[in-house]
Amino acid sequence: MSEASSDKTRTLAWLKSITGDLSTTVLKRMEEQLPWFSQMPPGRRSAVGLVAQSGITAQVAWFENPEAAPWIAKDVFDTAPRELLRSVSLQQTLQLIRVVVDVFEERTKAATPMIREGVLRYSRDIAFAAADVYARAAEQRGLWDARLEALVVDSILTGEHDTELPSRVAALGWHGHGEVSVLVGTTPPVLEVDSLRRTARHNRADLLVGVQGNRLVLVIGRAKPAADLEEEPVSFLEIAKQLEPGFGEGRLVLGPEVPNVVTASRSARAALAGFSIVGAYRRAERPVLADDLLPERALAGDPLARQVLVQRVYRPLADHQSDLLN
């Protein structure tokens, strides 16, 4: 056996002999330096401690086989349950890695240059592995949110939603407790969803986005009911005008205001009906109100438009002299 190989063997034996002490020191240091760790329930604290211990074991394994660094680093996070990713943030994970590396550096500061250099290289690999794990989790969550949002918008359009609708929109980050209106237009060649959401937030409104082929549907909701606001709320028509650049060319129809997201299907039905016949409307406003299209919608067979016309036009006239109704 060569002298270099013999030195490596002795170094590995020494590292393996101190792993237990390193684990104990890391857990104690975490309790002292990381307030969020001591505040965790026992089960999660145990899982985080298991990740820290796996990091120490994996670092020793890295010294034994440096070529396996990417795989060993990723394996550290496979020891903890998947739900740990939802309770421990990336920032907290990096703080955990820092504690492990600091303890390792303190115990190996008198060791050979090979070990000190190895600590630096491994800490880099483990940090990248942590970022990769959280990036993949965020990507999966983003895909799930997109599917859930599409389902919610579709249920609002069809009016087939159930009592779970409020909890589903809350899972998407919907904070709206006020009035809602639905805006329907054409899908642009390049959809900038983030820009639409920023515009909505600027007007203290929430937004659900749904794409159905060449049709773009936005469900707009106020954060608070208009009666609870200290100042005059921005009208849905004004919000729609600000959102208008995010749509493609052509038709753009805003449904009537309804009390809350549970009743948003009524606004959606009106907007969709108006969207289908707005080409017959002589004026070219963009957006146009669905209620400005009541005659065209009624002639096209929209029962909701007929109902509104009866309530708003026929009955008030019928309450007066018969000559006025004639």
Side-chain angles (χ1 to χ4, degrees), residues 54-123:
S54 298
I56 295 171
T57 303
Q59 189 157 3
V60 175
W62 181 89
F63 280 110
E64 190 170 4
N65 184 14
E67 299 300 324
W71 300 106
I72 291 175
K74 289 181 180 179
D75 288 344
V76 170
F77 300 98
D78 290 335
T79 60
R82 292 292 91 188
E83 58 267 20
L84 194 63
L85 289 176
R86 294 191 289 269
S87 58
V88 180
S89 67
L90 175 59
Q91 181 182 14
Q92 291 172 335
T93 301
L94 294 178
Q95 292 172 354
L96 166 63
I97 293 172
R98 180 184 292 274
V99 170
V100 174
V101 173
D102 285 347
V103 171
F104 222 103
E105 286 181 336
E106 290 175 5
R107 288 299 306 271
T108 59
K109 60 183 179 182
T112 63
M114 178 187 70
I115 293 181
R116 294 198 300 272
E117 180 183 351
V119 171
L120 295 176
R121 291 178 59 189
Y122 182 78
S123 62

Side-chain angles (χ1 to χ4, degrees), residues 156-158 181-182 184 217 255-256 263-273:
I156 290 175
L157 294 180
T158 59
S181 184
V182 177
V184 179
V217 179
T263 57
S265 58
R266 181 180 178 88
S267 180
R269 290 200 306 271
L272 291 173

Side-chain angles (χ1 to χ4, degrees), residues 47-247:
V48 172
L50 183 62
V51 172
Q53 293 174 23
S54 298
I56 295 171
T57 303
Q59 189 157 3
V60 175
W62 181 89
F63 280 110
E64 190 170 4
N65 184 14
E67 299 300 324
W71 300 106
I72 291 175
K74 289 181 180 179
D75 288 344
V76 170
F77 300 98
D78 290 335
T79 60
R82 292 292 91 188
E83 58 267 20
L84 194 63
L85 289 176
R86 294 191 289 269
S87 58
V88 180
S89 67
L90 175 59
Q91 181 182 14
Q92 291 172 335
T93 301
L94 294 178
Q95 292 172 354
L96 166 63
I97 293 172
R98 180 184 292 274
V99 170
V100 174
V101 173
D102 285 347
V103 171
F104 222 103
E105 286 181 336
E106 290 175 5
R107 288 299 306 271
T108 59
K109 60 183 179 182
T112 63
M114 178 187 70
I115 293 181
R116 294 198 300 272
E117 180 183 351
V119 171
L120 295 176
R121 291 178 59 189
Y122 182 78
S123 62
R124 178 201 63 185
D125 290 335
I126 199 73
F128 276 115
D132 178 68
V133 168
Y134 279 85
R136 284 189 281 111
E139 184 177 355
Q140 292 173 359
R141 174 61 188 269
L143 293 174
W144 167 251
D145 284 351
R147 290 193 292 268
L148 178 60
E149 186 171 21
L151 175 65
V152 168
V153 173
D154 184 66
S155 66
I156 290 175
L157 294 180
T158 59
E160 297 177 352
H161 58 78
D162 51 25
T163 56
E164 295 182 359
L165 180 62
S167 62
R168 288 176 178 173
V169 296
L172 292 169
W174 178 277
H175 300 98
H177 296 284
E179 297 79 11
V180 173
S181 184
V182 177
L183 182 63
V184 179
T186 55
T187 305
V190 179
L191 177 59
E192 297 289 347
V193 176
D194 290 338
S195 177
L196 293 171
R197 297 194 194 279
R198 281 196 300 270
T199 301
R201 285 196 300 269
H202 180 71
N203 290 281
R204 294 194 294 274
D206 278 327
L207 201 66
L208 295 175
V209 182
V211 178
Q212 299 184 332
N214 67 339
R215 193 169 62 188
L216 174 60
V217 179
L218 302 184
V219 181
I220 311 166
R222 289 201 180 101
K224 295 181 179 180
D228 295 344
L229 296 176
E230 297 179 356
E231 56 187 36
E232 188 70 21
V234 181
S235 69
F236 283 109
L237 181 58
E238 180 59 34
I239 297 175
K241 288 179 180 179
Q242 295 183 39
L243 293 169
E244 182 268 339
F247 286 81

